[in-house]
Amino acid sequence: MEENLESIEGYVDHIIYRNADNGYTVLVLVCNEEEETCVGVFSDIAEGENIKAKGSYTEHPTYGRQFQVKSFEEKAPQDEVAIERYLGSGAIKGIGISLAARIVRRFKADTFRIIEEEPERLAEIKGISERKAQEIAQQTEEKRELRQAMIFLQNYGISLSLAVKIYQTYQLDMYRIIQENPYRMAEDVTGVGFKIADEIAHRVGIHLDSDFRIRSGIMYVLQQASLEGHTYLPEELLTRRACELLGVDASGVEKHYMDMAIDRKLILKQSEAEVQIYASTFYYMELNVAVMLRELNVKYDFSETAVEQRIRKIEQLSELELDEMQRTAVKEAVRSGLLVITGGPGTGKTTTINTIIQYFESEGMDIALAAPTGRAAKRMSETTGYEAKTIHRLLELSGGMDEHAGFERNEQNPLETDVIIIDEMSMVDITLMHNLLKAVVAGTRLILVGDVNQLPSVGPGCVLKDIIDSHACNVVRLNRIFRQASESDIIVNAHKINRGEPVSLDNKSRDFFFLKRYDANVIISICIQLIRQKLPKYVNASPFDIQVLTPMRKGLLGVERLNTILQQYLNPPDGKKAEREHGQTIFRVGDKVMQIKNNYQAEWEIRSRYNIPIEKGLGVFNGDMGIVREINSFSETLTVEYEERRMVEYPFKELDQLDLAYAITIHKSQGSEYPAVIIPLLTGPRMLMNRNLLYTAVTRARKCVTLVGDEKAFYNMEANVNEQKRYSGLRDRLEEL
């Protein structure tokens, strides 16, 4: 790629735009009396500076010809005119045009050497005190240090924006760290993972069997495992994965476990069958969650008859009749400090929650409702008529990315409420559960509601399943399907899938259809037809609200291919619509997109009709869906409108947080509900194509499910009960206490 790059050299005439956060800059470079507009990341550049830049020319649709800078180096100004121009540009505080002229008149071409080596001589010039001479020299030195650091780090293939972070973290200590133990950066600097640190270590000449490298590799394997949902790995599996990653033998890895345990990096737990190895943060999270759950699990004394009377009164007022298990759930909620209510679709979870709310309200108690995602919270609000928040909002998020998120509500500042009801508990991972429990004081009732047969959380742990399996608190299972639900084939078939019973695919249903097709391209064209023509009228919703769900990311019917094709048909290219290419994806105004990682720092605002911000807040979360409303190439930003008209601006550099969402994986659909769902189905990896996944996909639809594909794939999924094993120890921790 390098050989195709062009070089240009000149001085920075003026800076048009600069993003202080990431260093993205638009500037005008004067090269041989010609002006060139340059765009790129510049660590720290000032008007008047001489640079040599490498890059290529591009044609911008609005701003015309630009030079896209890939790398640059500072060139010392060669002649007196250039030196004077640089000093007078404001690059060094305290030197204006007239003072620059006096300095250069006095020292001529020797000016820079004097500033760097004999700064005290600047005091020879009228208007410069000794103190000011030292300040000028210091500024020049700092700028030089930063530049040199940038050039040094670029030699190791590190991007400018990451180089700035590294320099800010370590300053001049950076050189020593890179030479001795670059793996430290993987721990200290966000954005430098093991892979980058390993690449640098390789270039520096650090051996494959270096202790630093192996330890960092072990932590990296555990971190990657947490992204698959594990809170620990069995010793054997951890050793195997670490050996594959590091290219060393097992004994070279195993000898570090005990030392890392002594350094409190790892926790080793002996279970009956294996040694479980945790990154210590996850172990203590599980342990604390178990302790806090035990503390909440208290029993309250109540008169049985008084509770019965109160329930009957609520039934009369609401004109409903609870079945036996629902009644039990309400009584247990009154009696218990900690309760789990679980059940599939149509089993009356909402009615039960509503009755519990009314009961506690009549007692004059404060109730807080929450769910893990924005969509799930919105649904909870609609079904209960009470405000439900995301758990993040309930805990009053205070910024930070991913695991660095901080919450205002914690053990020092707990939630001031009598009852907390959390819905869609299957989606709550160990980290979020830990943060929630820290903010709940003993004496507050905590009611956890969810469907344990749904897919587990995206983040690490199996919180709901582990709590149920541990028998550490009361669990009420709702299993009766109510009459109106039993009229819906979506619900009836979902339960059949869950039990492994045969499902009729004869299309005599009003809300559950199976269109048999056996070619991937034919399946896709049917999906397009359904979204554009058939389903919007049938379910009374816009094409935007109809969701394609697929088991996998790759392959003929994977998310990536589906999105590329669906985008072409549902939001085709149009000269009037701005677009932006990022990696393999083209984002276009009007596109349906999804946030794919938690960003607790992202600022959103709700704007009035006149585009004036009327409300602001923080946080966009994994699974939030929106529409691209604006792409601004000048400010290098893309704006997405999310639910409730929340507008979020993304710098182009951060577009890896977004994915097209015409089709999404079934995993990503958890906690959401759509008027209509389309599921394309052909064969796929057995591990993935299981009952759990099919059940989750079908239960996402409110009014209509359409499966398009091979019926054999459907029956194979239904028959396959092999879920991917999750290594999670919360159950063990609860049973130990």
Side-chain angles (χ1 to χ4, degrees):
M1 192 67 200
E2 278 292 314
E3 55 273 18
N4 301 330
L5 296 181
E6 295 181 58
S7 289
I8 57 172
E9 195 171 329
Y11 70 89
V12 179
D13 185 70
H14 62 283
I15 291 170
I16 300 172
Y17 170 81
R18 183 172 183 82
N19 182 324
D21 292 333
N22 57 24
Y24 180 84
T25 307
V26 181
L27 56 83
V28 171
L29 198 68
V30 176
C31 315
N32 304 324
E33 316 272 303
E34 294 286 317
E35 290 192 353
E36 298 280 6
T37 304
C38 297
V39 295
V41 175
F42 293 87
S43 52
D44 174 30
I45 202 156
E47 293 174 353
E49 293 192 16
N50 282 51
I51 62 166
K52 182 178 182 181
K54 283 185 178 175
S56 52
Y57 285 101
T58 57
E59 200 62 40
H60 191 280
T62 312
Y63 305 108
R65 195 170 107 124
Q66 294 181 336
F67 190 74
Q68 204 86 35
V69 177
K70 294 283 182 260
S71 67
F72 76 98
E73 57 182 307
E74 187 187 358
K75 302 291 264 189
Q78 297 304 310
D79 56 29
E80 289 172 31
V81 173
I83 295 171
E84 189 178 322
R85 187 189 312 113
Y86 171 71
L87 288 178
S89 68
I92 295 172
K93 285 192 188 96
I95 301 183
I97 295 168
S98 59
L99 192 51
R102 291 210 292 280
I103 295 170
V104 176
R105 234 182 355 259
R106 176 86 170 83
F107 300 118
K108 302 200 165 32
D110 218 16
T111 299
F112 271 117
R113 190 192 63 74
I114 297 283
I115 292 175
E116 284 171 14
E117 294 174 17
E118 303 174 68
E120 65 281 355
R121 287 191 57 193
L122 290 171
E124 296 170 16
I125 291 159
K126 193 178 171 204
I128 299 184
S129 63
E130 280 183 25
R131 187 168 157 214
K132 190 166 183 178
Q134 287 302 331
E135 279 174 9
I136 291 168
Q138 195 183 338
Q139 277 193 63
T140 313
E141 182 63 25
E142 281 170 3
K143 278 186 171 295
R144 196 171 72 221
E145 280 171 6
L146 176 62
R147 291 294 158 69
Q148 282 171 343
M150 295 297 112
I151 290 162
F152 175 78
L153 290 167
Q154 277 180 63
N155 290 335
Y156 292 107
I158 293 171
S159 70
L160 272 163
S161 51
L162 202 51
V164 171
K165 277 189 190 170
I166 294 170
Y167 182 75
Q168 284 168 343
T169 306
Y170 301 122
Q171 300 291 314
L172 294 179
D173 220 17
M174 165 191 99
Y175 300 99
R176 182 183 62 76
I177 287 164
I178 283 176
Q179 293 300 329
E180 290 175 10
N181 175 17
Y183 297 99
R184 256 189 71 181
M185 295 191 297
E187 289 181 37
D188 298 344
V189 183
T190 314
V192 179
F194 172 79
K195 292 284 174 77
I196 292 176
D198 203 37
E199 176 65 27
I200 296 167
H202 178 65
R203 293 190 185 193
V204 173
I206 287 172
H207 291 294
L208 284 182
D209 60 356
S210 145
D211 288 357
F212 293 134
R213 180 170 185 264
I214 291 173
R215 287 175 167 222
S216 185
I218 291 168
M219 295 310 292
Y220 176 73
V221 170
L222 286 171
Q223 185 205 346
Q224 292 304 108
S226 75
L227 300 178
E228 296 166 28
H230 309 301
T231 57
Y232 72 86
L233 285 179
E235 181 178 0
E236 196 183 319
L237 182 57
L238 173 59
T239 304
R240 191 166 75 240
R241 287 190 178 186
C243 292
E244 282 167 12
L245 172 77
L246 298 163
V248 298
D249 60 24
S251 60
V253 172
E254 287 163 352
K255 68 180 187 189
H256 288 278
Y257 292 153
M258 197 47 75
D259 289 344
M260 290 174 78
I262 292 166
D263 290 346
R264 300 191 174 182
K265 295 270 189 216
L266 300 180
I267 301 286
L268 279 53
K269 280 294 285 184
Q270 181 70 54
S271 76
E272 286 167 25
E274 60 195 11
V275 175
Q276 304 168 350
I277 301 185
Y278 284 86
S280 52
T281 47
F282 281 123
Y283 175 77
Y284 287 114
M285 249 183 229
E286 283 188 350
L287 186 61
N288 291 338
V289 163
V291 168
M292 292 187 286
L293 285 170
R294 287 283 189 196
E295 283 172 359
L296 289 175
N297 191 23
V298 294
K299 292 283 175 261
Y300 297 99
D301 271 341
F302 275 94
S303 142
E304 188 84 21
T305 47
V307 174
E308 282 278 3
Q309 278 173 346
R310 181 67 54 87
I311 294 173
R312 273 201 295 277
K313 197 170 175 188
I314 294 168
E315 286 178 313
Q316 283 165 2
L317 286 169
S318 314
E319 296 179 356
L320 56 89
E321 193 176 337
L322 300 180
D323 82 333
E324 192 186 341
M325 288 320 286
Q326 288 176 311
R327 197 174 284 271
T328 303
V330 179
K331 286 179 193 170
E332 285 302 332
V334 175
R335 197 180 292 141
S336 312
L338 177 65
L339 175 67
V340 173
I341 301 172
T342 183
T347 55
K349 290 196 296 291
T350 301
T351 306
T352 309
I353 293 173
N354 284 340
T355 309
I356 291 170
I357 293 171
Q358 288 176 55
Y359 188 102
F360 287 130
E361 246 203 342
S362 68
E363 294 277 301
M365 293 165 101
D366 286 332
I367 305 157
L369 306 184
T373 65
R375 290 182 89 98
K378 190 176 176 204
R379 213 169 80 226
M380 198 179 184
S381 297
E382 286 165 358
T383 54
T384 61
Y386 291 82
E387 186 197 11
K389 297 176 177 175
T390 61
I391 299 173
H392 295 99
R393 263 189 69 200
L394 181 74
L395 299 176
E396 296 170 22
L397 188 77
S398 59
M401 267 299 269
D402 276 344
E403 68 273 18
H404 305 299
F407 295 99
E408 296 293 331
R409 296 288 182 176
N410 48 36
E411 50 276 65
Q412 273 83 44
N413 180 26
L415 292 162
E416 292 155 15
T417 185
D418 302 306
V419 183
I420 299 170
I421 304 176
I422 307 287
D423 199 10
E424 294 286 357
M425 256 311 291
S426 59
M427 297 177 69
V428 175
D429 62 22
I430 193 73
T431 313
L432 190 53
M433 191 66 179
H434 187 242
N435 280 312
L436 171 69
L437 291 174
K438 282 198 298 188
V440 181
V441 289
T444 304
R445 283 178 172 80
L446 180 62
I447 300 166
L448 308 174
V449 185
D451 181 354
V452 78
N453 295 309
Q454 298 279 2
L455 289 168
S457 57
V458 174
C462 286
V463 176
L464 181 64
K465 187 173 184 304
D466 280 357
I467 295 173
I468 293 172
D469 291 349
S470 71
H471 305 292
C473 68
N474 266 335
V475 176
V476 179
R477 297 173 192 272
L478 303 177
N479 40 29
R480 178 182 153 203
I481 302 176
F482 284 86
R483 189 183 62 80
Q484 76 214 66
S486 67
E487 291 169 7
S488 156
D489 286 326
I490 297 174
I491 288 172
V492 170
N493 289 339
H495 284 275
K496 281 183 177 174
I497 291 167
N498 194 34
R499 293 193 292 265
E501 295 168 3
V503 173
S504 165
L505 304 179
D506 61 4
N507 290 335
K508 288 182 178 161
S509 166
R510 285 199 311 255
D511 59 5
F512 190 95
F513 303 101
F514 199 108
L515 308 179
K516 295 175 187 176
R517 303 288 188 278
Y518 306 97
D519 175 274
N521 292 334
V522 172
I523 292 172
I524 296 171
S525 68
I526 300 268
C527 291
I528 293 165
Q529 211 180 347
L530 287 167
I531 298 169
R532 287 169 79 178
Q533 292 151 19
K534 303 243 168 109
L535 284 172
K537 284 197 236 62
Y538 192 69
V539 296
N540 191 22
S542 74
F544 176 87
D545 293 320
I546 293 160
Q547 191 57 55
V548 176
L549 300 180
T550 177
M552 52 216 152
R553 284 201 63 79
K554 307 278 180 201
L556 291 173
L557 293 177
V559 164
E560 291 170 11
R561 183 167 185 252
L562 279 171
N563 271 322
T564 309
I565 299 171
L566 292 171
Q567 183 190 38
Q568 284 294 93
Y569 285 92
L570 301 174
N571 189 27
D574 177 343
K576 298 188 188 88
K577 286 183 179 176
E579 52 185 55
R580 170 76 187 180
E581 194 169 341
H582 185 82
Q584 304 295 305
T585 307
I586 293 170
F587 292 105
R588 191 173 292 131
V589 169
D591 271 337
K592 181 176 176 180
V593 291
M594 174 185 260
Q595 175 80 13
I596 56 169
K597 54 174 90 159
N598 288 335
N599 181 347
Y600 300 116
Q601 281 180 317
E603 296 176 4
W604 54 261
E605 56 184 35
I606 297 171
R607 300 171 187 168
S608 70
R609 272 195 314 185
Y610 307 106
N611 223 19
I612 297 161
I614 50 177
E615 193 183 331
K616 292 189 175 191
L618 284 179
V620 197
F621 304 110
N622 192 346
D624 284 356
M625 275 197 192
I627 297 181
V628 177
R629 290 297 186 206
E630 188 188 358
I631 297 174
N632 186 329
S633 299
F634 186 66
S635 64
E636 295 268 311
T637 55
L638 176 149
T639 305
V640 177
E641 179 181 350
Y642 288 105
E643 280 183 351
E644 296 163 345
R645 300 206 333 276
R646 291 178 303 141
M647 298 288 193
V648 178
E649 244 179 42
Y650 293 84
F652 284 173
K653 299 270 172 220
E654 291 175 16
L655 291 183
D656 52 356
Q657 297 183 34
L658 291 176
D659 243 350
L660 292 175
Y662 298 101
I664 62 173
T665 61
I666 297 166
H667 271 96
K668 287 282 186 195
S669 70
Q670 280 175 274
S672 300
E673 226 184 37
Y674 311 94
V677 161
I678 303 169
I679 307 167
L681 268 193
L682 284 176
T683 53
R686 184 165 162 77
M687 206 60 192
L688 203 58
M689 307 289 281
N690 58 36
R691 182 185 293 178
N692 209 218
L693 203 73
L694 185 61
Y695 173 78
T696 302
V698 167
T699 54
R700 299 305 88 205
R702 226 177 5 255
K703 295 180 181 172
C704 177
V705 169
T706 310
L707 295 110
V708 189
D710 187 342
E711 68 274 27
K712 277 204 290 252
F714 177 89
Y715 289 125
N716 287 341
M717 276 181 91
E718 193 188 11
N720 180 10
V721 289
N722 294 332
E723 290 166 51
Q724 197 176 356
K725 172 129 177 77
R726 268 203 179 194
Y727 297 107
S728 152
L730 178 60
R731 176 183 174 174
D732 294 346
R733 301 296 81 77
L734 282 160
E735 287 174 351
E736 284 166 3
L737 291 173

